[in-house]
Amino acid sequence: MIKKSAGIALRRSPAMKVGASVRRRAAAGLASGRSTLVDSVLMPAAQGSAARVQYAAVLDGHTLNLRALLPAGVPVPGASGADAAGADGDAPARAHVLFISGGTRIRAAARLHRERDGQTSVQATVLLGEDIGGVSVTLGRWTLGLELDSGSPAPVRLQLIGDGAPAYGGPTRPLDTCVRTGRRHRLGLTPAGRLRLTIAPAVARAEVLRVNRAFTGTSVLFAVYGPDAARDAAAPPVVELVEQQRRTVLRHTAEPLPADATAWRVTLPLGRLMDTSARQTWSLRLVPGPRGGKPLEIGRHGHDLRSPRKVLTPPKFTVRAEDGTFVEVKPQYTRRGALQLVCTPRKSGTP
């Protein structure tokens, strides 16, 4: 308990806030240095065979958004003739994004756009994953490039250099985990500075669907995603209710929700379980199944929020304990998104 309290005090200390500021400045300096390296060294070394990435991100967990500038002197499809560019500046779709892994090449349509300064950019929005109607990229590392149909027998192929990582300063961040498949998509750079997409398999997680309130306690509806998400109703998951300060662990069996093999409900009779002599903080975790593994924290993990504790604020409610004491229950989420139930006994006997 002392070790845990010390950790909490350290995270809340002013020194950690200074550390976060230093980390942000270091990250900004690293991004600036990386951009200088790309423009001063890598792009000149490519000798016109690479497009400069200006923006690249996977925003909703499974859609790649890309924008890159073509180098000068590269034959541009539709650069002359009646089909050059429409009124909005977009040329016909004769460009493709290449996903390269070993000897496998997958193409996705891209758009050409004439900029005001005369340069040509390539823009693409690509859905990732054949099982959701997108390109058939699989787990592993994929190097990204461009292919232009210049009208000659051999297409023009260009590297994509630079990560184009956007700076996010608001309450949200890019969501790299697909909410439908659980696969994780991360953009990065190869040692040569080329844009690379890494696709990792889904990891197990337990997501809160709803927190129901009652005068005697609460019930939490949650869904399990990832490997072995669907369980046999004859062997439902077991939820541990853990009190942090006193290290009390209570187990409750969840019941299945109809028409969804991954969704469950666990009923927590807080009025019977709570010790009304002091404030208590309870967290919920899922006991590992027959294959073992680590317990899963039940919470909100599949989101794009920087601080779920500040944004996700379920309403408080009051529970009547067995000794007649009224207890205020405040559901909240930790920085990691785990659900907590903070139970505070009221001094008066009225709710």
Side-chain angles (χ1 to χ4, degrees):
M1 186 170 67
I2 295 176
K3 182 178 179 181
K4 187 177 184 66
S5 300
I8 294 174
L10 180 61
R11 288 195 300 270
R12 295 179 178 177
S13 67
M16 289 301 293
K17 295 181 180 180
V18 173
S21 177
V22 171
R23 289 194 298 271
R24 285 194 296 270
R25 288 198 297 269
L30 179 63
S32 176
R34 186 169 58 235
S35 180
T36 301
L37 174 65
V38 169
D39 292 327
S40 302
V41 179
L42 299 180
M43 286 298 295
Q47 298 180 349
S49 64
R52 175 64 163 97
V53 177
Q54 292 189 312
Y55 179 89
V58 178
L59 296 182
D60 61 355
H62 52 233
T63 304
L64 171 66
N65 295 268
L66 175 68
R67 184 177 187 273
L69 281 179
L70 297 183
V74 172
V76 178
S80 60
D83 62 348
D88 59 354
D90 286 333
R94 295 182 181 176
H96 292 84
V97 178
L98 284 179
F99 296 83
I100 306 168
S101 179
T104 304
R105 278 183 168 84
I106 299 176
R107 293 167 176 80
R111 303 178 305 278
L112 293 170
H113 184 78
R114 305 300 174 82
E115 304 294 330
R116 293 181 178 180
D117 59 1
Q119 289 184 293
T120 303
S121 66
V122 175
Q123 303 173 13
T125 303
V126 184
L127 192 62
L128 303 173
E130 187 177 17
D131 49 356
I132 58 174
V135 295
S136 56
V137 289
T138 55
L139 301 179
R141 293 180 174 179
W142 296 82
T143 302
L144 274 62
L146 291 178
E147 185 176 84
L148 306 178
D149 181 10
S150 61
S152 59
V156 176
R157 288 176 178 166
L158 301 173
Q159 303 175 34
L160 281 172
I161 290 183
D163 58 356
Y168 294 92
T172 60
R173 56 174 173 76
L175 180 64
D176 59 2
T177 301
C178 177
V179 296
R180 295 174 60 182
T181 65
R183 287 192 297 264
R184 293 164 292 159
H185 303 89
R186 183 174 59 85
L187 287 171
L189 296 178
T190 68
R194 298 185 64 181
L195 187 64
R196 179 168 61 189
L197 173 68
T198 302
I199 306 177
V203 296
R205 69 185 195 277
E207 292 285 336
V208 171
L209 302 177
R210 189 166 68 247
V211 179
N212 291 332
R213 297 169 289 171
F215 200 52
T216 58
T218 182
S219 61
V220 178
L221 280 60
F222 65 94
V224 182
Y225 299 101
D228 302 326
R231 300 195 182 198
D232 186 355
V238 177
V239 177
E240 287 185 339
L241 190 62
V242 183
E243 206 287 309
Q244 297 180 353
Q245 298 298 326
R246 304 183 185 183
R247 297 187 178 273
T248 304
V249 179
L250 304 173
R251 290 193 169 192
H252 296 269
T253 302
E255 57 180 339
L257 294 180
D260 191 343
T262 64
W264 304 85
R265 177 194 291 111
V266 59
T267 302
L268 306 174
L270 297 176
R272 180 166 52 85
L273 302 177
M274 288 185 300
D275 179 0
T276 57
S277 63
R279 174 178 171 175
Q280 293 178 297
T281 300
W282 299 87
S283 59
L284 288 78
R285 65 189 184 192
L286 203 60
V287 176
R291 296 189 180 183
K294 296 181 179 180
L296 298 179
E297 292 182 327
I298 298 178
R300 295 286 298 272
H301 307 289
H303 57 76
D304 62 352
L305 301 173
R306 290 187 181 275
S307 179
R309 187 166 191 166
K310 294 180 180 179
V311 179
L312 304 175
T313 55
K316 304 175 185 178
F317 59 96
T318 301
V319 168
R320 187 179 187 276
E322 287 187 332
D323 62 359
T325 303
F326 291 99
V327 179
E328 180 185 81
V329 180
K330 178 186 177 183
Q332 66 180 23
Y333 294 94
T334 66
R335 289 186 176 89
R336 295 186 303 177
L339 176 65
Q340 290 181 334
L341 301 174
V342 182
C343 304
T344 307
R346 291 181 178 271
K347 296 181 179 180
S348 63
T350 57

